[in-house]
Amino acid sequence: MANLSFAAQVADWVRKVEGAEERVFKEASQELASRAQTTRAEGGRMRVDTGFLRASLMASTASMPPIRATAKPVAGQTYAYDAGAIEAVIAGADLGDTIYLGYTAAYAAHREYGARGQGPDAFVRTAAQQWSQIVDEKAAELKGRLAL
């Protein structure tokens, strides 16, 4: 995904319609985040106990948000995911920017890749593997909205 430029993935008509390429870029980025965050109960791959892992998702256009070794849930507390911060970073991104999405919970890599006898959840990798499909879907949706 990182080696294939966004511009190379979009259809010719997207590049020709003013604002369409940026729109597809931002909508596809948001959908990627949404797919990574989809819980098992909703048909995704993310296990949710306290919600801490989901709530730890951060976005940046500067660098990958790092996993923090001390970022762990407090016993008995639950956490809600607020997509607003992710949406704000994506909305503020320029076409051509790299949008980094990363989980900061101390155990994020353990959930992604598996640990201590538990298999991997692969919620990030599975979403990332769908990038080309997501771009195509968002381009088709925009084309439909524009009646092209």
Side-chain angles (χ1 to χ4, degrees):
M1 178 178 84
N3 294 331
L4 184 59
S5 75
F6 174 76
Q9 293 180 1
V10 296
D12 285 337
W13 74 267
V14 173
R15 287 189 289 280
K16 293 175 185 174
V17 175
E18 186 175 339
E21 196 169 12
E22 182 173 2
R23 186 71 165 184
V24 171
F25 167 65
K26 290 180 178 182
E27 288 184 16
S29 297
Q30 184 58 51
E31 180 64 21
L32 179 72
S34 179
R35 289 189 188 187
Q37 289 284 80
T38 303
T39 67
R40 286 186 171 186
E42 298 167 328
R45 300 187 63 91
M46 165 105 29
R47 282 189 238 182
V48 177
D49 182 22
T50 65
F52 187 81
L53 179 60
R54 287 186 86 221
S56 80
L57 180 64
M58 296 182 71
S60 172
T61 56
S63 64
M64 179 61 78
I67 291 176
R68 296 187 347 244
T70 59
K72 299 176 183 174
V74 174
Q77 187 169 336
T78 59
Y79 301 84
Y81 168 62
D82 179 7
I86 305 301
E87 292 169 359
V89 170
I90 292 171
D94 293 322
L95 188 59
D97 283 350
T98 298
I99 299 173
Y100 299 93
L101 298 169
Y103 293 88
T104 61
Y107 56 92
H110 295 241
R111 292 279 25 100
E112 176 66 15
Y113 297 105
R116 298 186 182 117
Q118 293 186 3
D121 291 343
F123 49 93
V124 174
R125 289 174 290 162
T126 301
Q129 290 168 352
Q130 297 172 30
W131 176 250
S132 292
Q133 173 189 343
I134 292 169
V135 170
D136 290 345
E137 289 171 4
K138 294 304 171 183
E141 288 174 16
L142 181 59
K143 191 174 186 178
R145 288 195 306 262
L146 297 175
L148 297 176

